[in-house]
Amino acid sequence: INGIEIKGIWIPGRFYYYMNYKQMSTIKGVVTPDMIDLHLELAYYIEHCKANGRNLICAKGRRKGISEAASTMIIDYGWRFTEGYKAGVAAGNKTYVDDFLAKWRFADSRLPPEFSTKKLTDNDNEIIAGYTIRNDYGDFEDKGTFNTIYARTMHINPNMFKGLYLNDVIAEE
């Protein structure tokens, strides 16, 4: 979470997590990320923005891996390691939101058990971290962080996140 310094270079925790645990399905099969300066620089920008209460808008070229890096270093990292985390994934077209969630679910399914997170809700609109237990009175009770990823299509209604406090929002396409 706090990152690590190696030979005078600070590696943010979110970049370390991305490099060591992210798996992607490609035409070449399942691969892990290559060490790319652009992704490390993105991690530095994310850390800077988080530390200074700033927003980050990142224009990107196609086929550079920025969506995969950002989805892991921002959304997945926050959802997994930040208490009370709420994030949004927005797009004008439902296909882009579904594609983002499919990639996220694939990577989530390939994590080692120590990073596995149970979900109370996992559907097309939201993913909520948590679990249900039976308490001492025999009643079922929801527990966990309740960290949430909201997925919304904004084509018809741009106010889909209105009234929600979100730590991060990823706008797809």
Side-chain angles (χ1 to χ4, degrees):
I1 290 175
N2 297 322
I4 186 169
E5 189 168 323
I6 302 169
K7 296 185 179 182
I9 298 174
W10 178 61
I11 305 295
R14 62 187 71 245
F15 185 72
Y16 182 88
Y17 174 69
Y18 169 70
M19 290 299 300
N20 287 285
Y21 298 103
K22 174 69 172 189
Q23 292 192 17
M24 302 170 277
S25 181
T26 70
I27 58 173
K28 296 177 183 178
V30 177
V31 299
T32 55
D34 291 329
M35 173 56 186
I36 298 173
D37 289 347
L38 178 64
H39 295 173
L40 178 58
E41 190 172 331
L42 177 61
Y44 288 146
Y45 281 126
I46 294 167
E47 290 295 330
H48 174 78
C49 290
K50 293 281 185 194
N52 294 291
R54 301 284 186 228
N55 296 318
L56 175 64
I57 296 176
C58 180
K60 64 179 195 68
R62 298 200 50 79
R63 314 304 316 158
K64 305 286 187 221
I66 298 298
S67 291
E68 289 281 3
S71 72
T72 303
M73 290 192 284
I74 299 172
I75 302 294
D76 186 60
Y77 186 85
W79 186 80
R80 210 165 293 283
F81 300 116
T82 305
E83 188 82 24
Y85 184 78
K86 307 282 187 230
V89 179
N93 186 324
K94 186 172 178 352
T95 303
Y96 299 124
V97 173
D98 292 345
D99 184 48
F100 177 93
L101 290 178
K103 289 176 183 176
W104 182 86
R105 284 188 178 101
F106 177 81
D108 178 61
S109 72
R110 313 249 335 161
L111 286 172
E114 58 269 22
F115 289 125
S116 180
T117 303
K118 291 192 172 287
K119 296 160 196 77
L120 283 170
T121 305
D122 187 358
N123 60 43
D124 290 346
N125 296 322
E126 62 186 26
I127 302 165
I128 302 174
Y131 54 93
T132 302
I133 62 166
R134 189 178 298 237
N135 63 23
D136 294 338
Y137 305 106
D139 298 324
F140 290 100
E141 189 175 345
D142 292 339
K143 296 277 190 177
T145 63
F146 302 106
N147 289 351
T148 306
I149 300 171
Y150 297 97
R152 301 288 190 263
T153 302
M154 304 293 197
H155 179 71
I156 303 296
N157 182 0
N159 295 317
M160 295 300 289
F161 290 139
K162 191 171 185 174
L164 294 175
Y165 172 80
L166 301 173
N167 300 91
D168 296 304
V169 176
I170 295 278
E172 279 292 310
E173 302 292 328

